[in-house]
Amino acid sequence: MQKRKTSKPILRLGQKRTHAESTRESVFAKDVFDQTAEWTKELADKEASDKRKRNEAFLEELKHGQERAKQGRATEKEPGLTTNLHISGLHPSVNEHTLCVAFGRFGSLGSVKVMWPRDTATKSNCGFVSFMEREGAEQARREMDGSELCGLELRVVWAKHMALPSEPGFVQDVEQTGHPFNARGTDSTVLEVRVARPTNKQTERLIHWTVEHVVRFGAAFECMLVQRTHSDERFGFLTQWASNDHLYYRWRMYSLLNHDTKQKWHSSMFVMYDEGPVWEPPTRVDVELQAENELQSESGVRSELSRRARQKVERCTRIQTSERGSIARAMVVVIDHAYAAAQVVDIVCQALYDARGDEKLARLMLISDVLHNSAARVANAWRLRDQLELQLSNIFDDLARASKQIEGRLRAEHFRKRVLSVLAVWEARMIFPLNTLYEQAAKFI
């Protein structure tokens, strides 16, 4: 029986390796390490490449989606589509009926809505008027923007397009009814004449001047005035019997003859003569509020800041933090100096350009507060919004550059989100057109 050969161990316990064996094993270990490192690097490169491709695809898809949304929403603002108007600066006494009478003369209305605030101490409201036809909306925006209603100056801009009803909700008749003063019948067959104050301040003053002279000099003065001004459009209220201005002229004369004043009059309905129609006076405006607005309008003739006023604005707009109190105080100073809107906006923007980091965000919050309160009951406050709109592109160009210069991805992302949140608030409050806001937001994508 043959003995089985056993393998001889290469190295016995306690036996030392030779130099050749150690060298062989070191070379083998180095080859394995190099190969493993190469494979690991290839895997890491491939994973990074795949991740980069996925991120690029995601960003590209996100960009296309935002462009499609931007184009879709922008078309709602293009002329010929939207007939919806946003009206700011409404007196608290203005209701849906007042808006219907004021805007209904431009065309049929699809819907009218006044946004009533929860806080009853609000000095002005806002609302929406949607026309059935684009032409009427364009004319209303052109003539009503900057006009006065119940003592406050209106700001009328385009709003987001909304679906229109099949039938108009309000139609103001323009045809002659055949009744005295173009009175209109109601369900109870009672004829009514509704009086509305002229939207044009100069026309209202001219009517007051005419009424005072007719009351003083009699009907002969009115006849002479009609003959001499028959070709003057400013005096059209004398002969255009069905116009709202003529109704206001007749009511104002009757009101003064019955011992009313230009500031105070009886608001209850009345009958001017036996078997005549029932007259409904216009909404009475608070006398003190109207006097304050007129005083502010007169003081708003100034267009430049004095040296002391400029120093005050510059000092207040250099806020350091987003603390609510400091922003509110700076906003009040800016609104109070709105008579020099161009200079004030230049100061505010320069303060933002000079800021760094969180200071820049704090001063952006100041601009947002100023825009939100640009419809305040202060003369020329609305001009701040117009001036800021001219500077809007420069403001967000500066913010975009600042975002790219921030060290640290998380800090830069936090800065970007804060800026975009401000744009989202402006979109919700419809401070600027949507396409304008989307252009600024695209700078941070």
Side-chain angles (χ1 to χ4, degrees):
M1 183 176 180
Q2 294 181 353
K3 292 183 179 181
R4 189 175 58 180
K5 294 182 179 180
T6 59
S7 59
K8 185 178 180 180
I10 298 175
L11 184 64
R12 292 187 179 91
L13 187 63
Q15 183 178 356
K16 294 183 179 180
R17 291 183 176 89
T18 64
H19 177 71
E21 291 175 342
S22 299
T23 302
R24 248 189 342 265
E25 291 180 2
S26 298
V27 171
F28 176 74
K30 184 177 183 302
D31 291 341
V32 171
F33 177 79
D34 292 343
Q35 186 66 34
T36 304
E38 184 179 351
W39 290 344
T40 303
K41 185 176 182 303
E42 290 179 358
L43 290 175
D45 292 343
K46 185 176 184 302
E47 183 178 357
S49 177
D50 293 343
K51 184 177 180 180
R52 185 170 57 255
K53 291 180 180 178
R54 289 195 300 269
N55 290 339
E56 290 176 353
F58 173 75
L59 291 176
E60 190 70 20
E61 182 180 356
L62 181 62
K63 182 178 180 180
H64 288 326
Q66 290 176 340
E67 289 178 352
R68 287 194 299 269
K70 175 181 175 181
Q71 293 173 359
R73 295 180 183 179
T75 54
E76 296 177 347
K77 308 297 289 181
E78 291 181 0
L81 292 181
T82 181
T83 60
N84 195 23
L85 297 177
H86 176 262
I87 303 101
S88 58
L90 294 177
H91 189 273
S93 64
V94 173
N95 54 25
E96 280 81 1
H97 173 71
T98 309
L99 284 182
C100 286
V101 174
F103 285 83
R105 60 193 180 95
F106 300 105
S108 302
L109 305 181
S111 64
V112 176
K113 179 66 176 176
V114 174
M115 309 303 292
W116 300 103
R118 296 180 179 179
D119 184 8
T120 56
T122 304
K123 298 179 180 179
S124 63
N125 299 334
C126 64
F128 295 89
V129 174
S130 181
F131 283 82
M132 298 297 292
E133 301 292 339
R134 173 72 184 192
E135 292 74 15
E138 288 179 342
Q139 185 181 2
R141 180 179 179 272
R142 185 169 55 252
E143 297 189 17
M144 295 299 290
D145 186 26
S147 64
E148 289 192 4
L149 182 62
C150 294
L152 291 185
E153 187 173 356
L154 300 182
R155 178 65 176 163
V156 182
V157 298
W158 291 114
K160 179 186 283 189
H161 175 73
M162 62 175 296
L164 295 174
S166 57
E167 297 294 335
F170 179 86
V171 179
Q172 184 166 326
D173 299 329
V174 295
E175 70 276 4
Q176 298 288 337
T177 63
H179 299 295
F181 300 103
N182 209 35
R184 310 185 187 282
T186 62
D187 295 339
S188 58
T189 69
V190 177
L191 298 178
E192 292 184 0
V193 177
R194 293 178 176 175
V195 182
R197 300 184 66 179
T199 56
N200 189 308
K201 196 66 177 179
Q202 293 181 350
T203 301
E204 184 177 11
R205 291 175 179 173
L206 183 59
I207 291 175
H208 290 171
W209 178 89
T210 305
V211 169
E212 291 174 357
H213 285 72
V214 171
V215 170
R216 181 179 179 183
F217 299 108
F221 179 83
E222 183 183 33
C223 294
M224 179 199 65
L225 200 61
V226 170
Q227 293 175 359
R228 294 188 178 183
T229 61
H230 66 279
S231 59
D232 192 340
E233 294 182 356
R234 296 177 301 169
F235 289 88
F237 60 86
L238 290 172
T239 56
Q240 297 173 4
W241 318 110
S243 67
N244 290 331
D245 292 344
H246 179 76
L247 297 181
Y248 180 79
Y249 166 70
R250 289 300 174 191
W251 165 81
R252 175 57 75 184
M253 185 180 302
Y254 179 86
S255 174
L256 292 180
L257 289 172
N258 284 272
H259 310 293
D260 289 341
T261 66
K262 289 190 297 183
Q263 289 79 24
K264 293 184 179 181
W265 60 85
H266 293 85
S267 58
S268 58
M269 301 178 70
F270 65 94
V271 177
M272 189 175 293
Y273 55 88
D274 293 341
E275 299 182 359
V278 176
W279 288 67
E280 181 181 347
T283 304
R284 187 170 63 187
V285 183
D286 181 62
V287 180
E288 296 181 358
L289 173 62
Q290 187 178 19
E292 181 182 349
N293 289 329
E294 292 178 355
L295 180 62
Q296 289 175 345
S297 298
E298 293 175 0
S299 64
V301 175
R302 295 177 295 171
S303 60
E304 295 185 359
L305 293 172
S306 64
R307 181 177 60 84
R308 178 175 295 182
R310 186 179 185 88
Q311 290 176 351
K312 182 178 180 180
V313 175
E314 290 177 345
R315 182 174 62 254
C316 292
T317 54
R318 300 279 170 170
I319 53 179
Q320 306 294 325
T321 65
S322 299
E323 193 269 324
R324 182 61 190 163
S326 59
I327 294 178
R329 287 189 292 271
M331 180 271 297
V332 171
V333 172
V334 171
I335 295 293
D336 287 343
H337 294 81
Y339 59 84
Q343 287 182 303
V344 171
V345 168
D346 286 342
I347 294 173
V348 172
C349 292
Q350 190 60 48
L352 183 138
Y353 301 152
D354 296 341
R356 295 291 182 270
D358 292 339
E359 291 182 1
K360 213 175 264 293
L361 290 175
R363 294 170 190 181
L364 176 62
M365 297 303 169
L366 170 60
I367 293 176
S368 182
D369 261 27
V370 170
L371 287 171
H372 180 63
N373 291 278
S374 59
R377 193 185 58 177
V378 178
N380 299 309
W382 60 272
R383 297 183 184 277
L384 293 169
R385 177 198 171 280
D386 290 350
Q387 293 295 327
L388 283 169
E389 186 173 9
L390 298 176
Q391 298 283 349
L392 205 61
S393 181
N394 294 333
I395 290 173
F396 282 91
D397 285 342
D398 179 78
L399 291 170
R401 287 192 296 269
S403 176
K404 295 177 181 178
Q405 294 172 358
I406 295 177
E407 296 181 358
R409 184 178 61 82
L410 294 179
R411 291 183 60 193
E413 182 66 14
H414 173 72
F415 184 91
R416 187 182 70 88
K417 287 183 177 179
R418 291 287 298 276
V419 174
L420 292 179
S421 67
V422 172
L423 289 174
V425 172
W426 292 0
E427 179 183 358
R429 294 176 179 172
M430 293 179 289
I431 294 179
F432 293 117
L434 289 180
N435 55 346
T436 301
L437 297 179
Y438 293 153
E439 289 177 3
Q440 309 310 322
K443 298 175 182 179
F444 295 87
I445 298 177

